[in-house]
Amino acid sequence: GQQLNQSPQSMFIQEGEDVSMNCTSSSIFNTWLWYKQDPGEGPVLLIALYKAGELTSNGRLTAQFGITRKDSFLNISASIPSDVGIYFCAGVIQGAQKLVFGQGTRLTINP
Amino acid sequence: EAGVAQSPRYKIIEKRQSVAFWCNPISGHATLYWYQQILGQGPKLLIQFQNNGVVDDSQLPKDRFSAERLKGVDSTLKIQPAKLEDSAVYLCASSLGAGDYGYTFGSGTRLTVV
């Protein structure tokens, strides 16, 4: 069944705007990751988080591992056209060893 | 370094036919994964190999899906017979080991069952 709730499902923004998306679950996670998928390609890892409260940046992207260990957030600052794509959160549930994915957030940018 | 290679990129088959997908992981990556991604959804794990052994195949529909990684390198995923609901992108990923969650994904094989 669905273990990760990712929101929003889609976003339509203007170039230059900041973007926020998140993933929540009723389960406790040991690891959170954020991937981006372009059309016709596989997901590409953006940021990995391993500790509750951890805040990690990769260029204009910043992700946080929620204090409760049940959520994670991704922010993109000053969006540019190449940020268009589908962003997936993924996590490893405590006690498990496999990665589960959210449903994705489709980002569209108007120039 | 070379990425994860998958072939074919696209495949169209009729229902009840058979199909096979091939994956060559990154050199030295012990763990290999097959994911199914239905349009509009996130990837769902089908099977995980550690070298040539199966670690997790709990979500693999074993009545029709099979996978092998005979020499601990390349892997094939087979569907026999295919159903309409098998239409999806099949993604292969690899990582250094079971505790390394920074998977590298291939470009996938898009399967259409008609």
Short mmCIF file of all heavy atoms in Angstrom, two decimals, chain A residues 35-86:
data_model
loop_
_atom_site.label_atom_id
_atom_site.label_comp_id
_atom_site.label_asym_id
_atom_site.label_seq_id
_atom_site.Cartn_x
_atom_site.Cartn_y
_atom_site.Cartn_z
N TYR A 35 14.99 12.52 -5.54
CA TYR A 35 15.40 12.23 -6.92
C TYR A 35 14.66 13.17 -7.88
O TYR A 35 13.55 13.62 -7.59
CB TYR A 35 15.04 10.80 -7.31
CG TYR A 35 15.93 9.72 -6.75
CD1 TYR A 35 15.71 9.21 -5.47
CD2 TYR A 35 16.97 9.19 -7.50
CE1 TYR A 35 16.53 8.20 -4.96
CE2 TYR A 35 17.79 8.18 -7.00
CZ TYR A 35 17.56 7.70 -5.73
OH TYR A 35 18.36 6.70 -5.24
N LYS A 36 15.26 13.39 -9.05
CA LYS A 36 14.59 14.10 -10.14
C LYS A 36 14.58 13.20 -11.36
O LYS A 36 15.60 12.55 -11.67
CB LYS A 36 15.31 15.41 -10.46
CG LYS A 36 14.70 16.19 -11.64
CD LYS A 36 15.40 17.51 -11.82
CE LYS A 36 14.75 18.34 -12.92
NZ LYS A 36 15.38 18.13 -14.20
N GLN A 37 13.45 13.17 -12.04
CA GLN A 37 13.32 12.34 -13.23
C GLN A 37 12.91 13.21 -14.40
O GLN A 37 11.88 13.89 -14.37
CB GLN A 37 12.30 11.22 -13.01
CG GLN A 37 12.23 10.23 -14.15
CD GLN A 37 11.35 9.04 -13.84
OE1 GLN A 37 10.39 9.14 -13.07
NE2 GLN A 37 11.65 7.88 -14.41
N ASP A 38 13.72 13.18 -15.46
CA ASP A 38 13.39 13.86 -16.71
C ASP A 38 12.67 12.89 -17.63
O ASP A 38 12.83 11.66 -17.49
CB ASP A 38 14.66 14.39 -17.37
CG ASP A 38 15.30 15.51 -16.59
OD1 ASP A 38 14.55 16.30 -15.97
OD2 ASP A 38 16.53 15.62 -16.58
N PRO A 39 11.91 13.39 -18.59
CA PRO A 39 11.17 12.49 -19.49
C PRO A 39 12.09 11.50 -20.20
O PRO A 39 13.14 11.87 -20.73
CB PRO A 39 10.55 13.47 -20.50
CG PRO A 39 10.43 14.75 -19.75
CD PRO A 39 11.62 14.81 -18.84
N GLY A 40 11.70 10.23 -20.16
CA GLY A 40 12.45 9.20 -20.86
C GLY A 40 13.74 8.78 -20.17
O GLY A 40 14.53 8.03 -20.76
N GLU A 41 13.93 9.25 -18.95
CA GLU A 41 15.14 8.88 -18.21
C GLU A 41 14.79 8.28 -16.87
O GLU A 41 13.64 8.39 -16.41
CB GLU A 41 16.03 10.12 -18.00
CG GLU A 41 16.51 10.79 -19.29
CD GLU A 41 17.40 9.86 -20.11
OE1 GLU A 41 18.11 9.03 -19.52
OE2 GLU A 41 17.35 9.95 -21.37
N GLY A 42 15.78 7.66 -16.23
CA GLY A 42 15.58 7.17 -14.88
C GLY A 42 15.78 8.27 -13.86
O GLY A 42 16.34 9.33 -14.19
N PRO A 43 15.33 8.07 -12.64
CA PRO A 43 15.53 9.08 -11.59
C PRO A 43 17.02 9.29 -11.32
O PRO A 43 17.80 8.34 -11.36
CB PRO A 43 14.83 8.47 -10.38
CG PRO A 43 13.89 7.46 -10.94
CD PRO A 43 14.55 6.92 -12.16
N VAL A 44 17.37 10.54 -11.01
CA VAL A 44 18.75 10.89 -10.67
C VAL A 44 18.77 11.43 -9.25
O VAL A 44 17.97 12.29 -8.89
CB VAL A 44 19.30 11.96 -11.65
CG1 VAL A 44 20.66 12.44 -11.20
CG2 VAL A 44 19.37 11.39 -13.06
N LEU A 45 19.67 10.92 -8.44
CA LEU A 45 19.75 11.31 -7.04
C LEU A 45 20.19 12.77 -6.91
O LEU A 45 21.18 13.20 -7.52
CB LEU A 45 20.74 10.41 -6.30
CG LEU A 45 20.92 10.70 -4.80
CD1 LEU A 45 19.62 10.45 -4.05
CD2 LEU A 45 22.05 9.86 -4.23
N LEU A 46 19.44 13.53 -6.10
CA LEU A 46 19.76 14.93 -5.84
C LEU A 46 20.40 15.10 -4.47
O LEU A 46 21.46 15.71 -4.34
CB LEU A 46 18.48 15.78 -5.89
CG LEU A 46 17.71 15.81 -7.21
CD1 LEU A 46 16.40 16.55 -7.02
CD2 LEU A 46 18.54 16.44 -8.31
N ILE A 47 19.73 14.59 -3.46
CA ILE A 47 20.18 14.79 -2.08
C ILE A 47 19.83 13.55 -1.27
O ILE A 47 18.74 12.98 -1.43
CB ILE A 47 19.53 16.04 -1.45
CG1 ILE A 47 19.99 17.32 -2.15
CG2 ILE A 47 19.83 16.12 0.05
CD1 ILE A 47 19.33 18.58 -1.62
N ALA A 48 20.73 13.15 -0.37
CA ALA A 48 20.48 12.05 0.57
C ALA A 48 20.60 12.58 2.00
O ALA A 48 21.48 13.40 2.30
CB ALA A 48 21.47 10.92 0.34
N LEU A 49 19.71 12.13 2.87
CA LEU A 49 19.65 12.57 4.26
C LEU A 49 19.64 11.36 5.17
O LEU A 49 18.89 10.41 4.92
CB LEU A 49 18.39 13.41 4.50
CG LEU A 49 18.21 14.63 3.61
CD1 LEU A 49 16.74 15.01 3.52
CD2 LEU A 49 19.03 15.80 4.13
N TYR A 50 20.45 11.40 6.25
CA TYR A 50 20.61 10.20 7.06
C TYR A 50 20.29 10.39 8.54
O TYR A 50 20.27 9.41 9.29
CB TYR A 50 22.04 9.67 6.92
CG TYR A 50 22.40 9.31 5.50
CD1 TYR A 50 23.20 10.16 4.73
CD2 TYR A 50 21.92 8.15 4.90
CE1 TYR A 50 23.52 9.84 3.42
CE2 TYR A 50 22.24 7.82 3.59
CZ TYR A 50 23.04 8.68 2.86
OH TYR A 50 23.36 8.37 1.56
N LYS A 51 20.11 11.65 8.97
CA LYS A 51 19.84 11.89 10.39
C LYS A 51 18.68 12.86 10.57
O LYS A 51 18.53 13.82 9.81
CB LYS A 51 21.07 12.51 11.07
CG LYS A 51 22.27 11.60 11.17
CD LYS A 51 23.33 12.17 12.12
CE LYS A 51 23.63 13.62 11.85
NZ LYS A 51 24.75 14.10 12.72
N ALA A 52 17.86 12.61 11.61
CA ALA A 52 16.75 13.50 11.91
C ALA A 52 17.27 14.92 12.13
O ALA A 52 18.25 15.12 12.84
CB ALA A 52 16.00 13.01 13.14
N GLY A 53 16.60 15.89 11.50
CA GLY A 53 17.00 17.28 11.62
C GLY A 53 18.05 17.72 10.62
O GLY A 53 18.31 18.92 10.47
N GLU A 54 18.63 16.77 9.90
CA GLU A 54 19.70 17.10 8.95
C GLU A 54 19.18 18.01 7.85
O GLU A 54 18.09 17.80 7.33
CB GLU A 54 20.24 15.80 8.34
CG GLU A 54 21.40 16.00 7.37
CD GLU A 54 21.92 14.66 6.84
OE1 GLU A 54 21.49 13.61 7.35
OE2 GLU A 54 22.71 14.69 5.89
N LEU A 55 19.97 19.03 7.54
CA LEU A 55 19.66 19.98 6.48
C LEU A 55 20.82 19.95 5.50
O LEU A 55 21.96 20.22 5.89
CB LEU A 55 19.47 21.38 7.07
CG LEU A 55 18.97 22.48 6.13
CD1 LEU A 55 17.50 22.26 5.79
CD2 LEU A 55 19.13 23.85 6.80
N THR A 56 20.55 19.61 4.24
CA THR A 56 21.62 19.46 3.26
C THR A 56 21.29 20.21 1.99
O THR A 56 20.14 20.19 1.54
CB THR A 56 21.83 17.96 2.93
OG1 THR A 56 22.23 17.27 4.11
CG2 THR A 56 22.91 17.77 1.88
N SER A 57 22.29 20.88 1.43
CA SER A 57 22.10 21.64 0.21
C SER A 57 22.92 21.07 -0.93
O SER A 57 23.98 20.49 -0.73
CB SER A 57 22.49 23.10 0.42
OG SER A 57 21.61 23.73 1.33
N ASN A 58 22.39 21.26 -2.15
CA ASN A 58 23.07 20.88 -3.38
C ASN A 58 22.77 22.00 -4.36
O ASN A 58 21.76 21.97 -5.06
CB ASN A 58 22.57 19.53 -3.87
CG ASN A 58 23.22 19.12 -5.19
OD1 ASN A 58 24.12 19.80 -5.69
ND2 ASN A 58 22.77 18.01 -5.74
N GLY A 59 23.64 23.02 -4.39
CA GLY A 59 23.37 24.17 -5.23
C GLY A 59 22.15 24.93 -4.74
O GLY A 59 22.07 25.33 -3.57
N ARG A 60 21.17 25.09 -5.63
CA ARG A 60 19.94 25.81 -5.26
C ARG A 60 18.92 24.91 -4.55
O ARG A 60 17.85 25.36 -4.20
CB ARG A 60 19.32 26.40 -6.53
CG ARG A 60 20.17 27.50 -7.17
CD ARG A 60 19.53 28.00 -8.48
NE ARG A 60 19.47 26.94 -9.47
CZ ARG A 60 18.38 26.28 -9.79
NH1 ARG A 60 17.22 26.56 -9.21
NH2 ARG A 60 18.42 25.33 -10.70
N LEU A 61 19.26 23.66 -4.36
CA LEU A 61 18.36 22.72 -3.71
C LEU A 61 18.75 22.53 -2.24
O LEU A 61 19.94 22.42 -1.93
CB LEU A 61 18.41 21.36 -4.40
CG LEU A 61 17.60 21.15 -5.66
CD1 LEU A 61 18.01 22.08 -6.79
CD2 LEU A 61 17.69 19.70 -6.11
N THR A 62 17.75 22.52 -1.38
CA THR A 62 17.96 22.26 0.04
C THR A 62 16.91 21.26 0.49
O THR A 62 15.73 21.43 0.19
CB THR A 62 17.84 23.55 0.87
OG1 THR A 62 18.80 24.50 0.41
CG2 THR A 62 18.10 23.25 2.34
N ALA A 63 17.34 20.24 1.22
CA ALA A 63 16.41 19.24 1.72
C ALA A 63 16.62 19.06 3.21
O ALA A 63 17.72 19.26 3.73
CB ALA A 63 16.59 17.90 0.99
N GLN A 64 15.55 18.69 3.89
CA GLN A 64 15.62 18.47 5.33
C GLN A 64 14.97 17.16 5.72
O GLN A 64 13.93 16.77 5.18
CB GLN A 64 14.95 19.62 6.10
CG GLN A 64 15.10 19.51 7.61
CD GLN A 64 14.77 20.78 8.35
OE1 GLN A 64 14.06 21.64 7.85
NE2 GLN A 64 15.29 20.91 9.55
N PHE A 65 15.59 16.50 6.67
CA PHE A 65 15.08 15.27 7.28
C PHE A 65 14.28 15.72 8.49
O PHE A 65 14.83 16.28 9.44
CB PHE A 65 16.27 14.42 7.71
CG PHE A 65 15.97 12.99 8.08
CD1 PHE A 65 16.80 11.98 7.64
CD2 PHE A 65 14.91 12.66 8.90
CE1 PHE A 65 16.57 10.65 8.00
CE2 PHE A 65 14.66 11.36 9.26
CZ PHE A 65 15.51 10.34 8.82
N GLY A 66 12.98 15.51 8.51
CA GLY A 66 12.13 16.00 9.57
C GLY A 66 12.50 15.45 10.96
O GLY A 66 12.95 14.31 11.07
N ILE A 67 12.29 16.27 11.97
CA ILE A 67 12.63 15.90 13.35
C ILE A 67 11.88 14.65 13.80
O ILE A 67 12.41 13.82 14.53
CB ILE A 67 12.31 17.08 14.29
CG1 ILE A 67 13.29 18.21 14.05
CG2 ILE A 67 12.41 16.64 15.76
CD1 ILE A 67 14.71 17.93 14.47
N THR A 68 10.64 14.51 13.36
CA THR A 68 9.85 13.34 13.76
C THR A 68 10.28 12.07 13.03
O THR A 68 9.82 10.98 13.36
CB THR A 68 8.36 13.58 13.47
OG1 THR A 68 8.18 13.69 12.05
CG2 THR A 68 7.86 14.85 14.16
N ARG A 69 11.12 12.22 12.02
CA ARG A 69 11.58 11.14 11.13
C ARG A 69 10.46 10.58 10.26
O ARG A 69 10.62 9.53 9.64
CB ARG A 69 12.23 10.01 11.95
CG ARG A 69 13.47 10.49 12.71
CD ARG A 69 14.03 9.42 13.62
NE ARG A 69 14.51 8.27 12.86
CZ ARG A 69 14.86 7.12 13.44
NH1 ARG A 69 14.75 6.96 14.73
NH2 ARG A 69 15.29 6.14 12.68
N LYS A 70 9.33 11.30 10.22
CA LYS A 70 8.21 10.84 9.40
C LYS A 70 7.99 11.74 8.19
O LYS A 70 7.03 11.55 7.45
CB LYS A 70 6.94 10.81 10.24
CG LYS A 70 6.99 9.79 11.37
CD LYS A 70 5.67 9.77 12.12
CE LYS A 70 5.70 8.73 13.23
NZ LYS A 70 4.41 8.67 13.96
N ASP A 71 8.87 12.72 8.00
CA ASP A 71 8.68 13.59 6.86
C ASP A 71 10.01 14.18 6.38
O ASP A 71 11.02 14.14 7.07
CB ASP A 71 7.68 14.72 7.17
CG ASP A 71 8.04 15.51 8.42
OD1 ASP A 71 9.16 15.35 8.92
OD2 ASP A 71 7.18 16.27 8.90
N SER A 72 9.95 14.71 5.16
CA SER A 72 11.11 15.36 4.56
C SER A 72 10.63 16.45 3.63
O SER A 72 9.50 16.40 3.12
CB SER A 72 11.97 14.35 3.81
OG SER A 72 13.11 14.97 3.25
N PHE A 73 11.49 17.46 3.42
CA PHE A 73 11.12 18.62 2.63
C PHE A 73 12.21 18.92 1.62
O PHE A 73 13.39 18.70 1.88
CB PHE A 73 10.93 19.84 3.54
CG PHE A 73 10.03 19.59 4.71
CD1 PHE A 73 10.53 19.08 5.90
CD2 PHE A 73 8.68 19.83 4.61
CE1 PHE A 73 9.70 18.82 6.98
CE2 PHE A 73 7.83 19.57 5.69
CZ PHE A 73 8.35 19.07 6.87
N LEU A 74 11.80 19.41 0.46
CA LEU A 74 12.75 19.84 -0.57
C LEU A 74 12.38 21.25 -1.01
O LEU A 74 11.21 21.51 -1.32
CB LEU A 74 12.74 18.90 -1.78
CG LEU A 74 13.65 19.33 -2.95
CD1 LEU A 74 15.12 19.17 -2.56
CD2 LEU A 74 13.34 18.51 -4.20
N ASN A 75 13.35 22.12 -1.02
CA ASN A 75 13.15 23.49 -1.50
C ASN A 75 14.10 23.74 -2.67
O ASN A 75 15.26 23.32 -2.65
CB ASN A 75 13.43 24.50 -0.40
CG ASN A 75 12.44 24.39 0.73
OD1 ASN A 75 11.23 24.32 0.53
ND2 ASN A 75 12.94 24.34 1.94
N ILE A 76 13.58 24.43 -3.67
CA ILE A 76 14.39 24.87 -4.81
C ILE A 76 14.29 26.38 -4.85
O ILE A 76 13.18 26.94 -4.89
CB ILE A 76 13.88 24.28 -6.14
CG1 ILE A 76 13.80 22.76 -6.07
CG2 ILE A 76 14.80 24.70 -7.29
CD1 ILE A 76 13.13 22.12 -7.28
N SER A 77 15.42 27.05 -4.83
CA SER A 77 15.39 28.51 -4.85
C SER A 77 15.66 29.02 -6.27
O SER A 77 16.39 28.40 -7.04
CB SER A 77 16.43 29.08 -3.89
OG SER A 77 17.73 28.70 -4.28
N ALA A 78 15.04 30.15 -6.58
CA ALA A 78 15.26 30.84 -7.86
C ALA A 78 15.20 29.87 -9.03
O ALA A 78 16.19 29.65 -9.74
CB ALA A 78 16.59 31.57 -7.83
N SER A 79 14.04 29.28 -9.25
CA SER A 79 13.88 28.22 -10.25
C SER A 79 14.30 28.70 -11.65
O SER A 79 14.13 29.86 -12.03
CB SER A 79 12.44 27.74 -10.28
OG SER A 79 11.56 28.82 -10.56
N ILE A 80 14.83 27.76 -12.43
CA ILE A 80 15.24 28.00 -13.81
C ILE A 80 14.59 26.94 -14.69
O ILE A 80 14.14 25.91 -14.17
CB ILE A 80 16.78 27.98 -13.95
CG1 ILE A 80 17.35 26.63 -13.51
CG2 ILE A 80 17.41 29.12 -13.15
CD1 ILE A 80 18.86 26.51 -13.69
N PRO A 81 14.54 27.15 -16.00
CA PRO A 81 13.83 26.21 -16.88
C PRO A 81 14.29 24.75 -16.76
O PRO A 81 13.48 23.83 -16.85
CB PRO A 81 14.12 26.76 -18.28
CG PRO A 81 14.25 28.23 -18.06
CD PRO A 81 14.94 28.37 -16.74
N SER A 82 15.56 24.52 -16.50
CA SER A 82 16.05 23.13 -16.42
C SER A 82 15.60 22.43 -15.14
O SER A 82 15.84 21.22 -14.98
CB SER A 82 17.57 23.09 -16.53
OG SER A 82 18.17 23.80 -15.47
N ASP A 83 14.94 23.13 -14.24
CA ASP A 83 14.38 22.47 -13.05
C ASP A 83 13.11 21.71 -13.36
O ASP A 83 12.62 20.94 -12.53
CB ASP A 83 14.08 23.51 -11.95
CG ASP A 83 15.33 24.15 -11.37
OD1 ASP A 83 16.40 23.51 -11.43
OD2 ASP A 83 15.23 25.29 -10.87
N VAL A 84 12.56 21.90 -14.54
CA VAL A 84 11.34 21.19 -14.94
C VAL A 84 11.57 19.69 -14.88
O VAL A 84 12.61 19.19 -15.31
CB VAL A 84 10.92 21.61 -16.36
CG1 VAL A 84 9.89 20.67 -16.93
CG2 VAL A 84 10.40 23.04 -16.36
N GLY A 85 10.60 18.98 -14.35
CA GLY A 85 10.70 17.52 -14.27
C GLY A 85 9.81 17.00 -13.14
O GLY A 85 8.98 17.73 -12.61
N ILE A 86 10.01 15.76 -12.81
CA ILE A 86 9.25 15.14 -11.71
C ILE A 86 10.22 14.85 -10.58
O ILE A 86 11.26 14.22 -10.78
CB ILE A 86 8.55 13.84 -12.16
CG1 ILE A 86 7.64 14.11 -13.35
CG2 ILE A 86 7.74 13.26 -11.00
CD1 ILE A 86 6.96 12.87 -13.90
#
